[in-house]
Amino acid sequence: VNIAIIGAGALGSLFGGLLARTGQTVWLYNPSNVEHIQAIRSQGLLIETLKGDTFCVQVPATPRIEEIPKPVQLVGVFVKAYNTQEALEQVRPLIGEHTWVLSLQNGVGVEELLLKYAPKGRALRGVTAQGATLAAPGRVKWAGRGPTRLGPLEPEALDARTRRELEQIVQLLDDAGLDAQYEPDVERVLWEKLLVNVAINPLTALTGVPNGRLIEDLELRAILHDVVREGLPIVQAHGVTLTLEEAIARVENVCRATAENLSSMLQDVRRGRPTEIDFISGPIVREGERLKIPTPLSRLLWQLVRARSGRLPQRSI
Ligand code: KPL
C-alpha cells in the first residue's frame, strides 16, 4: 500500500514510521517543519518507545508534494484541524479515484472537507488515543498507547470490495502497533472524545497545568465536572449514551492516565500558536444553539482561549 502522511508532526510521524517499519510504502509530508523533514532524510526517523528504547526507521520524507509518487492508496491527514482545508487542497493531486482519506484529528468539524476531497465513500474518520511528542527534529517520543478507532463517514456508499479494502487498512494500522479497530459509528466516537477534549483542553490551556491537576485541584475539578455536565446533552444528541456519572468517570480517567502530559491545547498556547478551540468548544456551543441547550461555560472557555492563543482570522462567535 502507498501511504502519504500529510502534516508529519509528532503523531503523523509516529503513524508513518510504525507503518513503514512493517513494510508499507510511506511518504511523510510536512512543508512547515523543514528541519524535521531534513533530519529524517539524513538519519532516518527515530522513535523512542514507552519502554525507553529507540529505533530508527528509514522513511522517505519531503516538504514538496510533487515528490510523492501518485496516486496513493491512503492519505492520512494529521495537520491541525484549522489547517485541513489548505492541506487537502495541497494534496489534491495525490488523490485518485481509489484513494482513501483518513483523519484522526481532534475535535469535530473537518468532516465536510473530507467528504468534499475524498472520492465517494472513501472519507474515513476516527479518533486515536496514541500519544506522541516531537523530542527533537527527526525524533519522536511515543508517549502513550491506546485504541485507534476508524470508520467510513458514508458507510452506505461502501460495497463488498471497498469494505474489504477498508478492513485491510484497519488491519495494517493494527499490524503496525496502532491498536486499530473498525468503528461503524464514527459520529458517536467523535462526540464521545469531544466531551473529553472540551473539558480538559481549554481548562489546561488557560491555567497552564498538566492534565492530572484538573482532578487533584478541587476547584478545577468542580469546573471540569460542570463543563462535562453542560456538554453531555449535546453529545448525547449525537449518539453518545453515557450517563453523567460515566461521562465524569471517563474524563477523570483520561486525566489520570495522562496526568503528567500537557494537553495539545496548552502546548499550542505556550508556543504562541493558534489552537483547535474552534473545533472543540465551537461544536458544543453551536450545537447547543441549534438544540436550544445553553452552554455558557463552553462559550466562555472558547472566548478566553481565543483571546489567549495565536492569531487566526477572527470569526464571530
Ligand atoms: O487529546 C488530548 C489532547 O491533549 O488533545 C487529551 C486526551 C486531553 C490528552 O492530553
Side-chain angles (χ1 to χ4, degrees), residues 121-169:
R122 289 175 180 263
L124 302 175
R125 189 72 171 99
V127 300
T128 184
Q130 300 288 336
T133 53
L134 269 189
R139 188 179 187 97
V140 171
K141 194 165 158 193
W142 193 355
R145 265 189 92 151
T148 297
R149 299 200 169 90
L150 64 146
L153 281 175
E154 301 167 295
E156 65 290 347
L158 296 184
D159 57 23
R161 189 172 61 90
T162 43
R163 206 166 292 124
R164 260 197 316 281
E165 272 181 48
L166 179 48
E167 278 164 19
Q168 284 165 6
I169 290 174

Short mmCIF file of all heavy atoms in Angstrom, two decimals, residues 121-169:
data_model
loop_
_atom_site.label_atom_id
_atom_site.label_comp_id
_atom_site.label_asym_id
_atom_site.label_seq_id
_atom_site.Cartn_x
_atom_site.Cartn_y
_atom_site.Cartn_z
N GLY A 121 -17.50 7.73 -0.69
CA GLY A 121 -17.42 6.57 0.19
C GLY A 121 -16.06 6.37 0.84
O GLY A 121 -15.91 5.54 1.72
N ARG A 122 -15.04 7.14 0.39
CA ARG A 122 -13.68 6.85 0.85
C ARG A 122 -13.15 7.83 1.89
O ARG A 122 -11.95 7.90 2.13
CB ARG A 122 -12.74 6.76 -0.34
CG ARG A 122 -13.01 5.49 -1.14
CD ARG A 122 -12.19 5.41 -2.40
NE ARG A 122 -12.48 4.18 -3.12
CZ ARG A 122 -11.76 3.06 -3.04
NH1 ARG A 122 -10.67 3.04 -2.31
NH2 ARG A 122 -12.11 1.99 -3.71
N ALA A 123 -14.03 8.62 2.49
CA ALA A 123 -13.62 9.50 3.59
C ALA A 123 -13.71 8.72 4.90
O ALA A 123 -14.76 8.17 5.22
CB ALA A 123 -14.52 10.73 3.65
N LEU A 124 -12.61 8.65 5.61
CA LEU A 124 -12.55 7.90 6.87
C LEU A 124 -12.27 8.86 8.01
O LEU A 124 -11.45 9.77 7.88
CB LEU A 124 -11.44 6.85 6.82
CG LEU A 124 -11.52 5.81 5.72
CD1 LEU A 124 -10.29 4.92 5.75
CD2 LEU A 124 -12.79 4.98 5.88
N ARG A 125 -12.92 8.62 9.12
CA ARG A 125 -12.76 9.50 10.27
C ARG A 125 -12.62 8.61 11.50
O ARG A 125 -13.12 7.49 11.52
CB ARG A 125 -14.00 10.40 10.37
CG ARG A 125 -13.93 11.52 11.38
CD ARG A 125 -12.99 12.62 10.95
NE ARG A 125 -13.12 13.77 11.83
CZ ARG A 125 -12.28 14.04 12.85
NH1 ARG A 125 -11.27 13.24 13.12
NH2 ARG A 125 -12.45 15.13 13.58
N GLY A 126 -11.98 9.14 12.50
CA GLY A 126 -11.87 8.36 13.72
C GLY A 126 -11.14 9.14 14.80
O GLY A 126 -10.92 10.35 14.70
N VAL A 127 -10.81 8.42 15.85
CA VAL A 127 -10.09 9.01 16.99
C VAL A 127 -8.94 8.09 17.35
O VAL A 127 -9.00 6.89 17.07
CB VAL A 127 -11.01 9.18 18.22
CG1 VAL A 127 -12.18 10.10 17.92
CG2 VAL A 127 -11.51 7.84 18.73
N THR A 128 -7.93 8.66 17.96
CA THR A 128 -6.85 7.81 18.46
C THR A 128 -6.44 8.25 19.85
O THR A 128 -6.47 9.44 20.17
CB THR A 128 -5.63 7.82 17.53
OG1 THR A 128 -4.66 6.90 18.05
CG2 THR A 128 -4.99 9.21 17.40
N ALA A 129 -6.10 7.27 20.66
CA ALA A 129 -5.57 7.58 21.98
C ALA A 129 -4.05 7.37 22.00
O ALA A 129 -3.44 7.35 23.06
CB ALA A 129 -6.26 6.71 23.03
N GLN A 130 -3.45 7.19 20.80
CA GLN A 130 -1.99 7.14 20.74
C GLN A 130 -1.47 8.56 21.02
O GLN A 130 -2.08 9.54 20.60
CB GLN A 130 -1.50 6.72 19.34
CG GLN A 130 -1.99 5.36 18.90
CD GLN A 130 -1.31 4.22 19.66
OE1 GLN A 130 -0.21 4.36 20.18
NE2 GLN A 130 -2.00 3.09 19.74
N GLY A 131 -0.38 8.65 21.72
CA GLY A 131 0.18 9.96 22.02
C GLY A 131 1.62 10.05 21.53
O GLY A 131 2.36 9.07 21.57
N ALA A 132 2.00 11.23 21.05
CA ALA A 132 3.37 11.42 20.57
C ALA A 132 3.79 12.86 20.78
O ALA A 132 2.96 13.77 20.72
CB ALA A 132 3.45 11.07 19.09
N THR A 133 5.09 13.04 21.04
CA THR A 133 5.62 14.41 21.06
C THR A 133 6.90 14.42 20.24
O THR A 133 7.56 13.40 20.09
CB THR A 133 5.95 14.88 22.50
OG1 THR A 133 6.81 13.90 23.11
CG2 THR A 133 4.71 15.04 23.35
N LEU A 134 7.23 15.59 19.70
CA LEU A 134 8.49 15.73 18.95
C LEU A 134 9.59 16.05 19.96
O LEU A 134 9.59 17.12 20.56
CB LEU A 134 8.39 16.87 17.95
CG LEU A 134 7.91 16.58 16.53
CD1 LEU A 134 8.11 17.79 15.65
CD2 LEU A 134 8.60 15.36 15.93
N ALA A 135 10.52 15.10 20.14
CA ALA A 135 11.58 15.32 21.12
C ALA A 135 12.67 16.21 20.53
O ALA A 135 13.30 17.00 21.24
CB ALA A 135 12.17 13.98 21.55
N ALA A 136 12.90 16.08 19.24
CA ALA A 136 13.91 16.87 18.52
C ALA A 136 13.60 16.67 17.04
O ALA A 136 12.83 15.78 16.69
CB ALA A 136 15.31 16.35 18.85
N PRO A 137 14.18 17.47 16.15
CA PRO A 137 13.94 17.21 14.73
C PRO A 137 14.31 15.77 14.38
O PRO A 137 15.37 15.28 14.76
CB PRO A 137 14.87 18.21 14.02
CG PRO A 137 15.05 19.32 15.02
CD PRO A 137 15.02 18.65 16.37
N GLY A 138 13.41 15.06 13.73
CA GLY A 138 13.68 13.68 13.34
C GLY A 138 13.51 12.67 14.45
O GLY A 138 13.77 11.47 14.26
N ARG A 139 13.07 13.12 15.61
CA ARG A 139 12.98 12.23 16.77
C ARG A 139 11.61 12.37 17.45
O ARG A 139 11.26 13.44 17.96
CB ARG A 139 14.08 12.58 17.75
CG ARG A 139 14.21 11.60 18.89
CD ARG A 139 15.35 12.01 19.82
NE ARG A 139 15.55 10.98 20.78
CZ ARG A 139 16.47 10.02 20.68
NH1 ARG A 139 17.31 10.01 19.67
NH2 ARG A 139 16.56 9.09 21.59
N VAL A 140 10.85 11.26 17.45
CA VAL A 140 9.51 11.27 18.02
C VAL A 140 9.47 10.42 19.28
O VAL A 140 10.02 9.32 19.30
CB VAL A 140 8.48 10.69 17.01
CG1 VAL A 140 7.13 10.49 17.65
CG2 VAL A 140 8.35 11.61 15.82
N LYS A 141 8.81 10.95 20.29
CA LYS A 141 8.63 10.17 21.51
C LYS A 141 7.21 9.60 21.49
O LYS A 141 6.24 10.36 21.38
CB LYS A 141 8.83 11.09 22.71
CG LYS A 141 9.00 10.35 23.98
CD LYS A 141 9.55 11.31 25.02
CE LYS A 141 9.22 10.76 26.38
NZ LYS A 141 9.44 11.72 27.44
N TRP A 142 7.11 8.29 21.57
CA TRP A 142 5.81 7.61 21.62
C TRP A 142 5.36 7.68 23.07
O TRP A 142 5.79 6.91 23.92
CB TRP A 142 6.01 6.16 21.16
CG TRP A 142 4.75 5.40 20.86
CD1 TRP A 142 3.48 5.80 21.03
CD2 TRP A 142 4.69 4.07 20.31
NE1 TRP A 142 2.61 4.82 20.62
CE2 TRP A 142 3.33 3.75 20.18
CE3 TRP A 142 5.65 3.12 19.92
CZ2 TRP A 142 2.90 2.52 19.68
CZ3 TRP A 142 5.21 1.91 19.43
CH2 TRP A 142 3.87 1.61 19.30
N ALA A 143 4.45 8.64 23.36
CA ALA A 143 4.20 8.99 24.76
C ALA A 143 3.05 8.25 25.39
O ALA A 143 2.87 8.30 26.61
CB ALA A 143 3.95 10.50 24.86
N GLY A 144 2.24 7.58 24.59
CA GLY A 144 1.11 6.86 25.17
C GLY A 144 0.48 5.95 24.15
O GLY A 144 0.57 6.21 22.95
N ARG A 145 -0.13 4.87 24.63
CA ARG A 145 -0.78 3.93 23.72
C ARG A 145 -2.24 3.81 24.07
O ARG A 145 -2.62 3.90 25.24
CB ARG A 145 -0.15 2.55 23.85
CG ARG A 145 0.91 2.32 22.83
CD ARG A 145 1.36 0.87 22.85
NE ARG A 145 0.59 0.08 21.90
CZ ARG A 145 1.09 -1.01 21.32
NH1 ARG A 145 2.31 -1.40 21.58
NH2 ARG A 145 0.37 -1.69 20.47
N GLY A 146 -3.06 3.60 23.07
CA GLY A 146 -4.48 3.40 23.30
C GLY A 146 -5.13 3.13 21.96
O GLY A 146 -4.49 3.25 20.93
N PRO A 147 -6.42 2.81 21.97
CA PRO A 147 -7.08 2.40 20.73
C PRO A 147 -7.16 3.50 19.68
O PRO A 147 -7.23 4.69 20.01
CB PRO A 147 -8.48 1.99 21.18
CG PRO A 147 -8.64 2.45 22.57
CD PRO A 147 -7.29 2.69 23.15
N THR A 148 -7.11 3.08 18.42
CA THR A 148 -7.36 3.94 17.27
C THR A 148 -8.62 3.40 16.61
O THR A 148 -8.64 2.26 16.16
CB THR A 148 -6.18 3.87 16.28
OG1 THR A 148 -5.00 4.35 16.94
CG2 THR A 148 -6.43 4.69 15.03
N ARG A 149 -9.68 4.20 16.62
CA ARG A 149 -10.96 3.73 16.07
C ARG A 149 -11.26 4.50 14.81
O ARG A 149 -11.24 5.72 14.82
CB ARG A 149 -12.10 4.00 17.05
CG ARG A 149 -11.93 3.31 18.38
CD ARG A 149 -13.27 3.21 19.10
NE ARG A 149 -13.15 2.33 20.23
CZ ARG A 149 -12.79 2.74 21.44
NH1 ARG A 149 -12.56 4.02 21.67
NH2 ARG A 149 -12.68 1.87 22.41
N LEU A 150 -11.54 3.78 13.72
CA LEU A 150 -11.80 4.48 12.47
C LEU A 150 -12.89 3.79 11.68
O LEU A 150 -13.08 2.57 11.80
CB LEU A 150 -10.54 4.60 11.63
CG LEU A 150 -9.90 3.31 11.13
CD1 LEU A 150 -9.29 3.54 9.77
CD2 LEU A 150 -8.85 2.82 12.10
N GLY A 151 -13.59 4.59 10.89
CA GLY A 151 -14.65 4.03 10.06
C GLY A 151 -15.06 5.05 9.00
O GLY A 151 -14.57 6.18 8.99
N PRO A 152 -15.96 4.64 8.12
CA PRO A 152 -16.34 5.49 6.99
C PRO A 152 -17.34 6.57 7.40
O PRO A 152 -18.21 6.33 8.23
CB PRO A 152 -17.00 4.50 6.02
CG PRO A 152 -17.53 3.40 6.90
CD PRO A 152 -16.63 3.32 8.11
N LEU A 153 -17.22 7.75 6.78
CA LEU A 153 -18.22 8.80 7.01
C LEU A 153 -19.49 8.51 6.21
O LEU A 153 -20.55 9.03 6.54
CB LEU A 153 -17.65 10.17 6.62
CG LEU A 153 -16.71 10.82 7.63
CD1 LEU A 153 -16.12 12.11 7.05
CD2 LEU A 153 -17.41 11.11 8.94
N GLU A 154 -19.35 7.73 5.13
CA GLU A 154 -20.54 7.38 4.33
C GLU A 154 -20.63 5.86 4.20
O GLU A 154 -20.39 5.32 3.11
CB GLU A 154 -20.42 7.97 2.92
CG GLU A 154 -20.27 9.47 2.85
CD GLU A 154 -19.84 9.90 1.46
OE1 GLU A 154 -18.73 9.56 1.04
OE2 GLU A 154 -20.63 10.58 0.80
N PRO A 155 -21.00 5.17 5.27
CA PRO A 155 -21.00 3.70 5.23
C PRO A 155 -21.91 3.14 4.14
O PRO A 155 -21.62 2.11 3.56
CB PRO A 155 -21.50 3.29 6.62
CG PRO A 155 -21.95 4.53 7.30
CD PRO A 155 -21.42 5.70 6.57
N GLU A 156 -22.97 3.90 3.83
CA GLU A 156 -23.94 3.40 2.84
C GLU A 156 -23.33 3.35 1.43
O GLU A 156 -23.84 2.67 0.55
CB GLU A 156 -25.22 4.25 2.87
CG GLU A 156 -25.10 5.71 2.45
CD GLU A 156 -24.34 6.62 3.42
OE1 GLU A 156 -24.09 6.19 4.58
OE2 GLU A 156 -23.99 7.74 3.02
N ALA A 157 -22.21 4.07 1.24
CA ALA A 157 -21.61 4.11 -0.10
C ALA A 157 -20.63 2.95 -0.33
O ALA A 157 -20.05 2.84 -1.40
CB ALA A 157 -20.90 5.45 -0.31
N LEU A 158 -20.42 2.10 0.68
CA LEU A 158 -19.45 1.01 0.53
C LEU A 158 -20.10 -0.20 -0.14
O LEU A 158 -21.27 -0.49 0.09
CB LEU A 158 -18.90 0.59 1.89
CG LEU A 158 -18.07 1.62 2.66
CD1 LEU A 158 -17.54 1.00 3.94
CD2 LEU A 158 -16.94 2.15 1.82
N ASP A 159 -19.29 -0.90 -0.96
CA ASP A 159 -19.76 -2.19 -1.47
C ASP A 159 -18.82 -3.27 -0.93
O ASP A 159 -17.94 -2.98 -0.11
CB ASP A 159 -19.81 -2.18 -3.01
CG ASP A 159 -18.47 -1.84 -3.62
OD1 ASP A 159 -17.42 -2.02 -2.95
OD2 ASP A 159 -18.43 -1.38 -4.78
N ALA A 160 -19.02 -4.50 -1.38
CA ALA A 160 -18.24 -5.60 -0.80
C ALA A 160 -16.74 -5.38 -0.99
O ALA A 160 -15.93 -5.63 -0.09
CB ALA A 160 -18.66 -6.92 -1.44
N ARG A 161 -16.35 -4.87 -2.17
CA ARG A 161 -14.93 -4.69 -2.46
C ARG A 161 -14.31 -3.57 -1.59
O ARG A 161 -13.26 -3.75 -0.98
CB ARG A 161 -14.73 -4.35 -3.95
CG ARG A 161 -13.27 -4.36 -4.39
CD ARG A 161 -13.17 -4.20 -5.89
NE ARG A 161 -13.73 -2.94 -6.36
CZ ARG A 161 -13.03 -1.82 -6.47
NH1 ARG A 161 -11.76 -1.79 -6.16
NH2 ARG A 161 -13.61 -0.70 -6.90
N THR A 162 -15.00 -2.44 -1.52
CA THR A 162 -14.44 -1.33 -0.73
C THR A 162 -14.46 -1.68 0.76
O THR A 162 -13.57 -1.28 1.50
CB THR A 162 -15.20 -0.01 -0.99
OG1 THR A 162 -16.59 -0.27 -1.00
CG2 THR A 162 -14.78 0.62 -2.29
N ARG A 163 -15.44 -2.48 1.16
CA ARG A 163 -15.47 -2.89 2.57
C ARG A 163 -14.24 -3.75 2.91
O ARG A 163 -13.63 -3.60 3.95
CB ARG A 163 -16.78 -3.63 2.88
CG ARG A 163 -17.17 -3.53 4.34
CD ARG A 163 -18.61 -3.95 4.61
NE ARG A 163 -19.58 -3.04 4.03
CZ ARG A 163 -20.53 -3.42 3.18
NH1 ARG A 163 -20.64 -4.66 2.80
NH2 ARG A 163 -21.37 -2.53 2.70
N ARG A 164 -13.90 -4.63 1.97
CA ARG A 164 -12.69 -5.47 2.17
C ARG A 164 -11.43 -4.62 2.22
O ARG A 164 -10.56 -4.82 3.05
CB ARG A 164 -12.57 -6.51 1.05
CG ARG A 164 -13.06 -7.90 1.46
CD ARG A 164 -12.54 -8.98 0.53
NE ARG A 164 -12.64 -8.64 -0.89
CZ ARG A 164 -13.76 -8.71 -1.62
NH1 ARG A 164 -14.87 -9.13 -1.06
NH2 ARG A 164 -13.77 -8.38 -2.90
N GLU A 165 -11.34 -3.63 1.31
CA GLU A 165 -10.18 -2.73 1.30
C GLU A 165 -10.06 -2.01 2.64
O GLU A 165 -8.98 -1.86 3.19
CB GLU A 165 -10.33 -1.66 0.22
CG GLU A 165 -9.81 -2.04 -1.14
CD GLU A 165 -10.00 -0.89 -2.12
OE1 GLU A 165 -9.66 0.26 -1.80
OE2 GLU A 165 -10.52 -1.16 -3.22
N LEU A 166 -11.20 -1.58 3.15
CA LEU A 166 -11.21 -0.85 4.41
C LEU A 166 -10.76 -1.75 5.57
O LEU A 166 -9.97 -1.33 6.43
CB LEU A 166 -12.61 -0.28 4.65
CG LEU A 166 -12.86 0.50 5.93
CD1 LEU A 166 -11.78 1.54 6.17
CD2 LEU A 166 -14.22 1.18 5.87
N GLU A 167 -11.23 -3.00 5.53
CA GLU A 167 -10.77 -3.95 6.56
C GLU A 167 -9.25 -4.10 6.51
O GLU A 167 -8.59 -4.21 7.54
CB GLU A 167 -11.43 -5.32 6.35
CG GLU A 167 -12.83 -5.40 6.93
CD GLU A 167 -13.61 -6.59 6.40
OE1 GLU A 167 -12.99 -7.55 5.88
OE2 GLU A 167 -14.85 -6.55 6.49
N GLN A 168 -8.71 -4.11 5.29
CA GLN A 168 -7.24 -4.24 5.15
C GLN A 168 -6.52 -3.02 5.74
O GLN A 168 -5.47 -3.16 6.35
CB GLN A 168 -6.85 -4.40 3.68
CG GLN A 168 -7.13 -5.81 3.16
CD GLN A 168 -7.08 -5.89 1.64
OE1 GLN A 168 -6.74 -4.92 0.97
NE2 GLN A 168 -7.43 -7.04 1.10
N ILE A 169 -7.10 -1.85 5.54
CA ILE A 169 -6.48 -0.64 6.10
C ILE A 169 -6.45 -0.71 7.63
O ILE A 169 -5.44 -0.43 8.26
CB ILE A 169 -7.22 0.63 5.62
CG1 ILE A 169 -6.94 0.84 4.13
CG2 ILE A 169 -6.79 1.86 6.42
CD1 ILE A 169 -7.74 1.96 3.52
#
